[in-house]
Amino acid sequence: EEAVTIFETPPLVAVGVGGYIETPRGMMTFKTVFSHHISDECKMRFYKNWYRSKKKANTRTAQKWADEDGKKSIEANFAKMAKYFTVNMLLCHTQHKLINLQEKKAHN
């Protein structure tokens, strides 16, 4: 029998796939492919100040998914991932709006 740890998390959404290759110095990031649509809830995590930002995160990736040449480059990235990756990682974010917990605030 082995000890098992169970984590309770809010619902997760996959945002992208990242991969690492083995080098003599350790693991190194090789490629990262993001989804064509990322919710604002996830984009907020990419910025220090969301309300003052220009909200340009993921605009280039969305353009790649819309364009035929971009789709070909994404498919080429997936082919490279399958060939060279030693470790694959699924990039996810949680959906806090789906659970009914009060947010902990500093002023309360």
Side-chain angles (χ1 to χ4, degrees):
E1 292 183 26
E2 291 185 31
V4 176
T5 304
I6 298 173
F7 290 105
E8 222 174 295
T9 64
L12 295 174
V13 173
V15 175
V17 178
Y20 295 87
I21 56 173
E22 188 71 42
T23 65
R25 294 182 182 174
M27 303 299 275
M28 187 179 88
T29 305
F30 183 67
K31 290 276 182 195
T32 304
V33 176
F34 283 97
S35 172
H36 65 279
H37 174 65
I38 297 178
S39 67
D40 285 344
E41 189 177 22
C42 178
K43 288 180 188 178
M44 282 184 193
R45 297 169 190 242
F46 297 146
Y47 290 100
K48 185 175 181 180
N49 190 339
W50 170 252
Y51 299 101
R52 207 184 294 171
S53 69
K54 294 182 180 179
K55 299 169 183 62
K56 299 287 283 182
N58 199 42
T59 54
R60 288 189 195 162
T61 306
Q63 288 173 353
K64 273 189 180 181
W65 280 99
D67 187 22
E68 286 299 320
D69 292 333
K71 284 183 182 178
K72 288 179 184 176
S73 70
I74 290 171
E75 290 297 323
N77 285 341
F78 279 125
K80 287 179 185 177
M81 287 180 188
K83 187 174 181 180
Y84 296 113
F85 279 8
T86 55
V87 176
N88 293 326
M89 238 180 240
L90 184 65
L91 305 172
C92 299
H93 79 92
T94 56
Q95 293 179 303
H96 286 284
K97 65 182 177 184
L98 297 181
I99 58 173
N100 295 325
L101 290 178
Q102 284 188 337
E103 188 176 331
K104 291 184 179 180
K105 297 180 182 176
H107 64 273
N108 285 343

